PDB file of all heavy atoms in Angstrom:
ATOM      1  N   LEU A 104      32.861   1.185 -14.629  1.00 93.00           N
ATOM      2  CA  LEU A 104      33.703   0.813 -13.484  1.00 93.00           C
ATOM      3  C   LEU A 104      34.374   1.990 -12.807  1.00 93.00           C
ATOM      4  O   LEU A 104      34.276   2.159 -11.577  1.00 93.00           O
ATOM      5  CB  LEU A 104      34.739  -0.223 -13.926  1.00 93.00           C
ATOM      6  CG  LEU A 104      35.501  -0.936 -12.771  1.00 93.00           C
ATOM      7  CD1 LEU A 104      34.429  -1.668 -11.875  1.00 93.00           C
ATOM      8  CD2 LEU A 104      36.473  -1.939 -13.345  1.00 93.00           C
ATOM      9  N   SER A 105      35.076   2.824 -13.559  1.00 92.00           N
ATOM     10  CA  SER A 105      35.833   3.934 -12.965  1.00 92.00           C
ATOM     11  C   SER A 105      34.937   5.068 -12.426  1.00 92.00           C
ATOM     12  O   SER A 105      35.400   5.890 -11.654  1.00 92.00           O
ATOM     13  CB  SER A 105      36.810   4.508 -13.979  1.00 92.00           C
ATOM     14  OG  SER A 105      36.119   5.094 -15.074  1.00 92.00           O
ATOM     15  N   ARG A 106      33.632   5.030 -12.808  1.00 93.00           N
ATOM     16  CA  ARG A 106      32.750   6.115 -12.419  1.00 93.00           C
ATOM     17  C   ARG A 106      31.673   5.673 -11.444  1.00 93.00           C
ATOM     18  O   ARG A 106      30.821   6.448 -11.052  1.00 93.00           O
ATOM     19  CB  ARG A 106      32.038   6.694 -13.702  1.00 93.00           C
ATOM     20  CG  ARG A 106      33.026   7.334 -14.635  1.00 93.00           C
ATOM     21  CD  ARG A 106      32.275   7.979 -15.830  1.00 93.00           C
ATOM     22  NE  ARG A 106      31.778   6.920 -16.717  1.00 93.00           N
ATOM     23  CZ  ARG A 106      32.465   6.435 -17.721  1.00 93.00           C
ATOM     24  NH1 ARG A 106      33.711   6.857 -17.943  1.00 93.00           N
ATOM     25  NH2 ARG A 106      31.970   5.522 -18.536  1.00 93.00           N
ATOM     26  N   ILE A 107      31.713   4.412 -10.991  1.00 94.00           N
ATOM     27  CA  ILE A 107      30.735   3.926 -10.041  1.00 94.00           C
ATOM     28  C   ILE A 107      30.926   4.641  -8.727  1.00 94.00           C
ATOM     29  O   ILE A 107      32.051   4.760  -8.216  1.00 94.00           O
ATOM     30  CB  ILE A 107      30.840   2.385  -9.827  1.00 94.00           C
ATOM     31  CG1 ILE A 107      30.368   1.650 -11.093  1.00 94.00           C
ATOM     32  CG2 ILE A 107      30.033   1.935  -8.685  1.00 94.00           C
ATOM     33  CD1 ILE A 107      30.521   0.148 -11.034  1.00 94.00           C
ATOM     34  N   SER A 108      29.837   5.125  -8.110  1.00 93.00           N
ATOM     35  CA  SER A 108      29.914   5.853  -6.927  1.00 93.00           C
ATOM     36  C   SER A 108      30.308   4.871  -5.774  1.00 93.00           C
ATOM     37  O   SER A 108      29.571   3.931  -5.443  1.00 93.00           O
ATOM     38  CB  SER A 108      28.548   6.490  -6.557  1.00 93.00           C
ATOM     39  OG  SER A 108      28.536   6.911  -5.198  1.00 93.00           O
ATOM     40  N   ARG A 109      31.487   5.127  -5.157  1.00 93.00           N
ATOM     41  CA  ARG A 109      31.950   4.241  -4.110  1.00 93.00           C
ATOM     42  C   ARG A 109      31.047   4.332  -2.813  1.00 93.00           C
ATOM     43  O   ARG A 109      30.794   3.288  -2.223  1.00 93.00           O
ATOM     44  CB  ARG A 109      33.411   4.587  -3.751  1.00 93.00           C
ATOM     45  CG  ARG A 109      34.502   3.969  -4.648  1.00 93.00           C
ATOM     46  CD  ARG A 109      34.004   3.045  -5.642  1.00 93.00           C
ATOM     47  NE  ARG A 109      35.030   2.284  -6.375  1.00 93.00           N
ATOM     48  CZ  ARG A 109      35.048   2.003  -7.658  1.00 93.00           C
ATOM     49  NH1 ARG A 109      34.012   2.451  -8.367  1.00 93.00           N
ATOM     50  NH2 ARG A 109      35.953   1.290  -8.223  1.00 93.00           N
ATOM     51  N   PRO A 110      30.601   5.562  -2.476  1.00 94.00           N
ATOM     52  CA  PRO A 110      29.657   5.605  -1.311  1.00 94.00           C
ATOM     53  C   PRO A 110      28.349   4.792  -1.587  1.00 94.00           C
ATOM     54  O   PRO A 110      27.888   4.078  -0.650  1.00 94.00           O
ATOM     55  CB  PRO A 110      29.369   7.078  -1.182  1.00 94.00           C
ATOM     56  CG  PRO A 110      30.555   7.788  -1.746  1.00 94.00           C
ATOM     57  CD  PRO A 110      30.965   6.913  -2.921  1.00 94.00           C
ATOM     58  N   LYS A 111      27.795   4.875  -2.795  1.00 94.00           N
ATOM     59  CA  LYS A 111      26.592   4.093  -3.126  1.00 94.00           C
ATOM     60  C   LYS A 111      26.919   2.559  -3.098  1.00 94.00           C
ATOM     61  O   LYS A 111      26.134   1.772  -2.655  1.00 94.00           O
ATOM     62  CB  LYS A 111      26.046   4.488  -4.474  1.00 94.00           C
ATOM     63  CG  LYS A 111      25.329   5.820  -4.470  1.00 94.00           C
ATOM     64  CD  LYS A 111      24.702   6.076  -5.840  1.00 94.00           C
ATOM     65  CE  LYS A 111      23.909   7.367  -5.861  1.00 94.00           C
ATOM     66  NZ  LYS A 111      23.307   7.639  -7.178  1.00 94.00           N
ATOM     67  N   LEU A 112      28.108   2.210  -3.657  1.00 95.00           N
ATOM     68  CA  LEU A 112      28.501   0.800  -3.663  1.00 95.00           C
ATOM     69  C   LEU A 112      28.662   0.246  -2.238  1.00 95.00           C
ATOM     70  O   LEU A 112      28.186  -0.825  -1.905  1.00 95.00           O
ATOM     71  CB  LEU A 112      29.837   0.643  -4.397  1.00 95.00           C
ATOM     72  CG  LEU A 112      30.284  -0.774  -4.665  1.00 95.00           C
ATOM     73  CD1 LEU A 112      29.388  -1.477  -5.653  1.00 95.00           C
ATOM     74  CD2 LEU A 112      31.727  -0.758  -5.190  1.00 95.00           C
ATOM     75  N   LYS A 113      29.246   1.094  -1.371  1.00 96.00           N
ATOM     76  CA  LYS A 113      29.390   0.730   0.056  1.00 96.00           C
ATOM     77  C   LYS A 113      28.036   0.556   0.720  1.00 96.00           C
ATOM     78  O   LYS A 113      27.855  -0.383   1.516  1.00 96.00           O
ATOM     79  CB  LYS A 113      30.232   1.800   0.765  1.00 96.00           C
ATOM     80  CG  LYS A 113      30.566   1.442   2.206  1.00 96.00           C
ATOM     81  CD  LYS A 113      31.433   2.523   2.808  1.00 96.00           C
ATOM     82  CE  LYS A 113      31.800   2.186   4.278  1.00 96.00           C
ATOM     83  NZ  LYS A 113      32.696   3.247   4.832  1.00 96.00           N
ATOM     84  N   GLU A 114      27.102   1.470   0.370  1.00 95.00           N
ATOM     85  CA  GLU A 114      25.734   1.359   0.935  1.00 95.00           C
ATOM     86  C   GLU A 114      25.065   0.078   0.515  1.00 95.00           C
ATOM     87  O   GLU A 114      24.404  -0.622   1.373  1.00 95.00           O
ATOM     88  CB  GLU A 114      24.952   2.561   0.502  1.00 95.00           C
ATOM     89  CG  GLU A 114      23.522   2.591   1.002  1.00 95.00           C
ATOM     90  CD  GLU A 114      22.713   3.737   0.408  1.00 95.00           C
ATOM     91  OE1 GLU A 114      23.288   4.687  -0.152  1.00 95.00           O
ATOM     92  OE2 GLU A 114      21.461   3.716   0.490  1.00 95.00           O
ATOM     93  N   VAL A 115      25.142  -0.255  -0.790  1.00 96.00           N
ATOM     94  CA  VAL A 115      24.522  -1.459  -1.281  1.00 96.00           C
ATOM     95  C   VAL A 115      25.163  -2.732  -0.666  1.00 96.00           C
ATOM     96  O   VAL A 115      24.464  -3.676  -0.296  1.00 96.00           O
ATOM     97  CB  VAL A 115      24.644  -1.516  -2.839  1.00 96.00           C
ATOM     98  CG1 VAL A 115      24.185  -2.906  -3.373  1.00 96.00           C
ATOM     99  CG2 VAL A 115      23.752  -0.429  -3.479  1.00 96.00           C
ATOM    100  N   LYS A 116      26.499  -2.672  -0.538  1.00 97.00           N
ATOM    101  CA  LYS A 116      27.162  -3.804   0.082  1.00 97.00           C
ATOM    102  C   LYS A 116      26.708  -4.051   1.527  1.00 97.00           C
ATOM    103  O   LYS A 116      26.439  -5.156   1.944  1.00 97.00           O
ATOM    104  CB  LYS A 116      28.698  -3.554   0.079  1.00 97.00           C
ATOM    105  CG  LYS A 116      29.521  -4.660   0.630  1.00 97.00           C
ATOM    106  CD  LYS A 116      31.020  -4.311   0.574  1.00 97.00           C
ATOM    107  CE  LYS A 116      31.893  -5.416   1.119  1.00 97.00           C
ATOM    108  NZ  LYS A 116      33.366  -5.092   1.032  1.00 97.00           N
ATOM    109  N   LYS A 117      26.562  -2.937   2.218  1.00 96.00           N
ATOM    110  CA  LYS A 117      26.081  -3.008   3.618  1.00 96.00           C
ATOM    111  C   LYS A 117      24.648  -3.611   3.686  1.00 96.00           C
ATOM    112  O   LYS A 117      24.368  -4.464   4.535  1.00 96.00           O
ATOM    113  CB  LYS A 117      26.078  -1.601   4.291  1.00 96.00           C
ATOM    114  CG  LYS A 117      25.671  -1.601   5.699  1.00 96.00           C
ATOM    115  CD  LYS A 117      25.728  -0.164   6.287  1.00 96.00           C
ATOM    116  CE  LYS A 117      25.247  -0.111   7.703  1.00 96.00           C
ATOM    117  NZ  LYS A 117      25.266   1.253   8.275  1.00 96.00           N
ATOM    118  N   GLU A 118      23.790  -3.171   2.765  1.00 96.00           N
ATOM    119  CA  GLU A 118      22.420  -3.707   2.719  1.00 96.00           C
ATOM    120  C   GLU A 118      22.473  -5.235   2.444  1.00 96.00           C
ATOM    121  O   GLU A 118      21.698  -5.980   3.086  1.00 96.00           O
ATOM    122  CB  GLU A 118      21.616  -3.015   1.614  1.00 96.00           C
ATOM    123  CG  GLU A 118      21.353  -1.539   1.896  1.00 96.00           C
ATOM    124  CD  GLU A 118      20.261  -1.316   2.898  1.00 96.00           C
ATOM    125  OE1 GLU A 118      19.617  -2.306   3.279  1.00 96.00           O
ATOM    126  OE2 GLU A 118      19.995  -0.140   3.273  1.00 96.00           O
ATOM    127  N   PHE A 119      23.306  -5.653   1.497  1.00 96.00           N
ATOM    128  CA  PHE A 119      23.388  -7.096   1.203  1.00 96.00           C
ATOM    129  C   PHE A 119      23.868  -7.876   2.443  1.00 96.00           C
ATOM    130  O   PHE A 119      23.332  -8.968   2.772  1.00 96.00           O
ATOM    131  CB  PHE A 119      24.352  -7.316   0.039  1.00 96.00           C
ATOM    132  CG  PHE A 119      23.712  -7.148  -1.322  1.00 96.00           C
ATOM    133  CD1 PHE A 119      24.400  -6.545  -2.349  1.00 96.00           C
ATOM    134  CD2 PHE A 119      22.462  -7.657  -1.602  1.00 96.00           C
ATOM    135  CE1 PHE A 119      23.850  -6.393  -3.625  1.00 96.00           C
ATOM    136  CE2 PHE A 119      21.869  -7.526  -2.864  1.00 96.00           C
ATOM    137  CZ  PHE A 119      22.616  -6.889  -3.851  1.00 96.00           C
TER     138      PHE A 119
END
Side-chain angles (χ1 to χ4, degrees):
L104 193 59
S105 63
R106 294 183 289 272
I107 290 175
S108 166
R109 280 353 191 219
K111 284 186 179 179
L112 187 67
K113 185 176 181 180
E114 179 186 345
V115 170
K116 181 179 181 179
K117 182 179 178 181
E118 293 282 356
F119 276 139

